[in-house]
Amino acid sequence: MTSVIELYEQLSSAPDDKTRARLIAEAFEQMEQRYSEVTDLATGAALRETELRLQKEIEQLRGEVKKDIEKLRGDVQKDIEKLRGEVKKDVAEVRGDIAQSKIETIKWTVAWTGGLLLAQATLILGGLRYLLG
């Protein structure tokens, strides 16, 4: 069948409905073979259905991403608090070490200075004894 006019003439001269139905089916088959991309075209309803499905999937992904972000924020916050505690502990230890070092330095200075003063006093007393004696 090469034209619509020929199809019309065949349908007009067909002896019964069964023959007309066969001619119409053959015409559709030829059209599908000639224009195969027509069968691949999406309808508006199919596109809308796909759009709604994709929107739903996007919303689900957004929800999952938000949950993941909140979980990460919580994990990071816990890590920060843990590090703060460790830093405070380290600072307290360093302060204690500094205080202990100060005490040791003072003890050493007093002991050394005290020993020196005692030695000087002994020398002075010894010298006075010698001079007075």
Side-chain angles (χ1 to χ4, degrees):
M1 178 172 332
T2 57
S3 75
V4 176
I5 295 173
E6 286 179 26
L7 175 61
Y8 171 76
E9 289 174 357
Q10 287 177 351
L11 289 172
S12 299
S13 63
D16 57 21
D17 286 341
K18 186 175 181 179
T19 306
R20 280 190 277 281
R22 186 181 51 76
L23 289 170
I24 293 171
E26 288 175 358
F28 273 110
E29 186 176 24
Q30 288 177 2
M31 185 179 76
E32 286 176 352
Q33 287 174 356
R34 186 169 178 182
Y35 303 104
S36 60
E37 66 274 2
V38 171
T39 59
D40 294 336
L41 292 178
T43 63
L47 288 176
R48 181 67 183 148
E49 181 182 328
T50 301
E51 180 183 8
L52 291 172
R53 190 182 85 253
L54 289 174
Q55 285 177 348
K56 180 180 177 185
E57 290 176 14
I58 289 169
E59 289 304 316
Q60 286 174 341
L61 287 174
R62 279 185 182 153
E64 291 173 14
V65 168
K66 284 180 182 179
K67 286 179 186 176
D68 290 346
I69 288 172
E70 290 303 317
K71 183 182 181 307
L72 288 173
R73 281 183 182 160
D75 291 347
V76 168
Q77 191 63 35
K78 286 178 187 175
D79 290 345
I80 289 171
E81 291 304 318
K82 181 181 175 186
L83 289 173
R84 281 183 180 158
E86 291 174 5
V87 167
K88 285 180 181 179
K89 180 181 173 187
D90 291 348
V91 168
E93 286 178 8
V94 168
R95 286 183 177 165
D97 291 347
I98 291 172
Q100 188 63 36
S101 295
K102 285 180 180 179
I103 291 170
E104 293 299 321
T105 302
I106 291 169
K107 283 182 182 178
W108 182 81
T109 304
V110 168
W112 191 78
T113 306
L116 185 60
L117 289 175
L118 183 60
Q120 286 177 346
T122 303
L123 284 174
I124 291 172
L125 289 175
L128 285 174
R129 247 187 180 172
Y130 177 74
L131 289 175
L132 295 175

